[in-house]
Amino acid sequence: MATVLISDLHLDDSRPHITTLFERLLAGREVRSAQALYILGDLVEAWIGDDDDAHLPARIAAATRAVSDAGVRVYFMAGNRDFLLGESFARRAGLTLLDDGTVHDIEGRRTLLMHGDVLCTDDSAYQAVRRQVRQSQWQAQILGMPLDARRAFSAKAREDSRAHTGSSGEAIMDVNADAVAEAMRNAGVTRLIHGHTHRPAIHRFDLDGQPAERIVLGDWYAQGSLLRVTRQAIELSGLPIS
C-alpha cells in the first residue's frame, strides 16, 4: 500500500482523453487500495464556482466520490486554477479540503504539502494577482456573477496567464530556494511535496545541517505525473497518455 499524490492535471473539455485517464486511475486498484490520495491543486484548467452546471465537474465528483466511498481518504488542496472550489463541491465529491502549507504525516514522515505557486516569489506580478484573487471579497464578487459571465471572465484570465507565462523567464517562474527553505524551516520538516511548476523532480539538499528533499509533481500534458510514497521508498513516474 502506498500514498498517491497528483497535481496539475488541468482537466478541460478540450482534452477529454486526460479526463478519461484521470477516471481510469481513480477506478484502478492502485488508488482504491491506497492509504490516501492527495490532489495538490490545478485539478482543472479553470474553476468558476461550485454551481457550475457543466458536465466536467460532475464527472470529477463522481470519480473522487467513488474513491472516498471505497474507504480511501481523498485530500484536495487548491491551486491557482481552482482556488474557487469550495465546501459545497467538496461534500458532493467526497473531498477533504486542505489549506496550502498543510503538514501531514505521510507514511511515517512529517511532510509539508503545497501547491507551489506561493514559493515562486521572484514572479512579483503573479504574486500580486495571487494576493488579490485569494481575498474573500474579490471571490464573493466573482461568484456573484452569472455563470456565462464567469466563463467569459475565466477565459480572459487564462489568456492573460498564457501571455504572462510567454513573456516571463523560466527562472522567474520557478520556486525561490530561500522561500523553499523558509517554508520548510517554519513547518519543521525536511520533506516538501508540491506541484505548480510542471518540472517533476526529486531535489535533495542540505537544510540547516540536515538532509532534506523537495519533490515536485509534474503536470498531465505530456504524461500523467504520479508520486507513490511508501515507508520504504518514493517513486515519481508518469502514466502514458495515448
Side-chain angles (χ1 to χ4, degrees):
M1 295 177 66
T3 296
V4 177
L5 301 98
I6 55 178
S7 75
D8 298 278
L9 287 77
H10 294 270
L11 301 181
D12 187 72
D13 287 335
S14 66
R15 298 189 304 134
H17 60 294
I18 302 299
T19 302
T20 299
L21 181 64
F22 170 69
E23 291 171 325
R24 287 176 180 166
L25 173 67
L26 268 60
R29 180 178 178 183
E30 181 170 35
V31 167
R32 295 297 177 93
S33 63
Q35 295 281 9
L37 170 66
Y38 287 83
I39 304 171
L40 299 185
D42 286 4
L43 173 59
V44 296
E45 183 67 11
W47 192 265
I48 63 171
D50 291 359
D51 58 339
D52 187 359
D53 57 6
H55 187 48
L56 180 59
R59 289 180 65 179
I60 293 170
T64 56
R65 167 58 72 179
V67 176
S68 177
D69 288 347
V72 179
R73 185 67 67 90
V74 184
Y75 295 101
F76 174 81
M77 177 181 292
N80 53 294
R81 301 285 184 162
D82 41 28
F83 56 85
L84 290 176
L85 192 152
E87 291 285 354
S88 176
F89 182 82
R91 286 191 297 271
R92 179 157 52 107
L95 303 175
T96 298
L97 299 182
L98 297 180
D99 292 331
D100 202 329
T102 292
V103 175
H104 268 201
D105 183 308
I106 296 183
E107 303 295 336
R109 183 164 175 180
R110 279 170 46 82
T111 303
L112 176 60
L113 302 169
M114 307 181 75
H115 176 58
D117 57 335
V118 74
L119 299 171
C120 301
T121 54
D122 294 332
D123 191 347
S124 56
Y126 170 77
Q127 294 300 331
V129 171
R130 187 185 190 279
R131 286 190 294 271
Q132 178 189 38
V133 302
R134 296 301 177 115
Q135 294 175 3
S136 57
Q137 184 177 2
W138 184 92
Q139 293 184 9
Q141 181 179 356
I142 296 299
L143 292 174
M145 298 165 58
L147 280 173
D148 285 347
R150 274 182 264 162
R151 289 190 178 100
F153 180 87
S154 174
K156 177 63 166 59
R158 287 155 69 184
E159 266 185 42
D160 292 344
S161 175
R162 283 191 288 268
H164 175 69
T165 300
S167 64
S168 300
E170 287 194 11
I172 289 177
M173 292 185 292
D174 201 358
V175 300
N176 178 282
D178 291 337
V180 168
E182 181 180 6
M184 297 179 71
R185 192 177 292 122
N186 290 342
V189 302
T190 56
R191 175 181 281 174
L192 163 64
I193 301 176
H194 71 84
H196 180 67
T197 63
H198 300 187
R199 301 175 185 189
I202 299 175
H203 302 275
R204 293 186 170 91
F205 57 99
D206 180 89
L207 179 66
D208 301 332
Q210 298 184 73
E213 58 188 7
R214 176 173 66 91
I215 305 168
V216 188
L217 303 173
D219 60 75
W220 280 43
Y221 286 110
Q223 64 174 0
S225 185
L226 180 78
L227 177 67
R228 302 172 182 89
V229 182
T230 66
R231 289 182 179 265
Q232 293 77 33
I234 53 176
E235 179 188 1
L236 184 61
S237 62
L239 303 172
I241 294 177
S242 56

